[in-house]
Amino acid sequence: MQRFTFLVFIMVLAGCGSTPYRDDYTKHVNLVKNQFNEPSSLTFTFDGGDSVDLRGHYDGDDEVGQTAILYQGGAGLVGLIAQIGLHASLVDSTRDDKLAVAQQEANAQIQTLIDQVQRLSLPLLLDDMGENLVTRDTVNTQTLRLRPIFFSKPDMSQLMLKLVAWIPHPKGGKNTSLYQNMIEVHGGKFAAVTALDDNTKQGDVLAQSLAVMLKKALQIALNDVTGVYQKSNGAQASFFIEQNNKTRVIRGSVVEENCDYQVVQDLHSWFIAIPVEQKESLVACNI
């Protein structure tokens, strides 16, 4: 009994360091093997609807100050566990509230862009790549689920896409996913979009930027599922991305490179597409 109580105590303590639920995050799982040989053999659908989800990007540091609590003595070990569990819940609730407020404030800074995407839809952005797109009522065990979330810098000069992709495991149970991964695509500078007075032109530039990133992310996901990207054995290197006036360092290996993007597989097996600066290049690229 004492051993069981001690284990429960440890589990509660472990819960104190938990992080809030994030819909733009997932762990890598790939049990597909050789099930899908070509992208054309795989259908896909947008999970959660066809609307474009655009959010302001903010510093993801979700650390909060310690929530003061005085543990009362005399309640025994069970009472102490209950008090610690309450403390953990308070910390998580405070952290969630701060993140929600931070997201609202970040969205307010890019409201102009959020208003522009209301007339867009995800299938519209895919155009010619949408041949294998299916509706929710026709999904099956070979349907790749997609959840794309776009982010904009506060000054609306650069976009980023996080695409969570997964295939539910047909047997369910502990094997919740046959495949799941996260793909990031970082857009190039498009400062001109905020300088356009014509809302139609502004919306066209924005739609084109979103379409380029969505198509690239989808192609990366299909390449991963169909085995085009094998686990990289290349030399690890450091890659740098400017993000909200901070430099983000990524450790990983290059799995694809062209005149537009360098696709890096990081240590989590996520894929990050980094735009290639084309200062003197006149090469036309098709994504």
Side-chain angles (χ1 to χ4, degrees), residues 46-87:
F46 290 115
D47 186 78
D50 294 339
S51 298
V52 176
D53 187 354
L54 175 61
R55 308 175 186 178
H57 194 273
Y58 65 94
D59 190 351
D61 184 6
D62 63 351
E63 293 297 322
V64 297
Q66 294 294 326
T67 304
I69 185 170
L70 178 63
Y71 295 115
Q72 298 181 358
L77 183 58
V78 174
L80 179 61
I81 292 175
Q83 292 179 64
I84 293 176
L86 175 61
H87 187 191

Side-chain angles (χ1 to χ4, degrees), residues 92-259:
D92 284 345
S93 177
T94 301
R95 184 167 47 198
D96 288 350
D97 290 343
K98 291 189 69 174
L99 288 174
V101 171
Q103 186 64 74
Q104 291 174 1
E105 293 175 348
N107 288 350
Q109 291 180 291
I110 66 159
Q111 191 61 49
T112 299
L113 298 185
I114 292 177
D115 291 341
Q116 289 289 341
V117 301
Q118 300 304 310
R119 66 182 182 86
L120 302 175
S121 70
L122 295 171
L124 179 65
L125 296 178
L126 283 182
D127 51 60
D128 59 329
M129 280 193 68
E131 294 182 359
N132 285 15
L133 179 65
V134 297
T135 59
R136 287 290 299 170
D137 57 349
T138 58
V139 299
N140 54 46
T141 56
Q142 296 185 337
T143 301
L144 180 67
R145 274 70 164 179
L146 306 172
R147 184 189 299 127
I149 303 173
F150 295 92
F151 295 88
S152 169
K153 290 181 61 176
D155 62 1
M156 298 183 287
S157 66
Q158 196 166 15
L159 298 174
M160 176 185 71
L161 166 63
K162 287 187 177 182
L163 175 70
V164 177
W166 73 99
I167 301 174
H169 200 289
K171 294 183 179 180
K174 294 182 179 180
N175 299 316
T176 56
S177 293
L178 189 66
Y179 167 86
Q180 63 183 43
N181 209 355
M182 186 176 73
I183 296 97
E184 282 187 25
V185 179
H186 292 261
K189 298 285 185 180
F190 69 109
V193 73
T194 58
L196 294 174
D197 295 328
D198 189 324
N199 286 337
T200 301
K201 291 181 180 179
Q202 185 186 65
D204 290 343
V205 174
L206 177 61
Q208 183 179 9
S209 300
L210 297 175
V212 167
M213 289 190 295
L214 182 58
K215 291 177 184 178
K216 185 63 183 179
L218 176 57
Q219 189 59 60
I220 292 173
L222 292 175
N223 284 347
D224 189 27
V225 173
T226 57
V228 174
Y229 297 145
Q230 299 295 334
K231 182 66 177 179
S232 175
N233 295 320
Q236 298 289 319
S238 294
F239 303 87
F240 304 92
I241 298 176
E242 295 300 322
Q243 194 166 297
N244 280 10
N245 299 320
K246 294 182 179 180
T247 300
R248 175 183 168 192
V249 181
I250 297 171
R251 288 290 296 176
S253 303
V254 175
V255 295
E256 178 189 346
E257 190 168 17
N258 54 44
C259 55

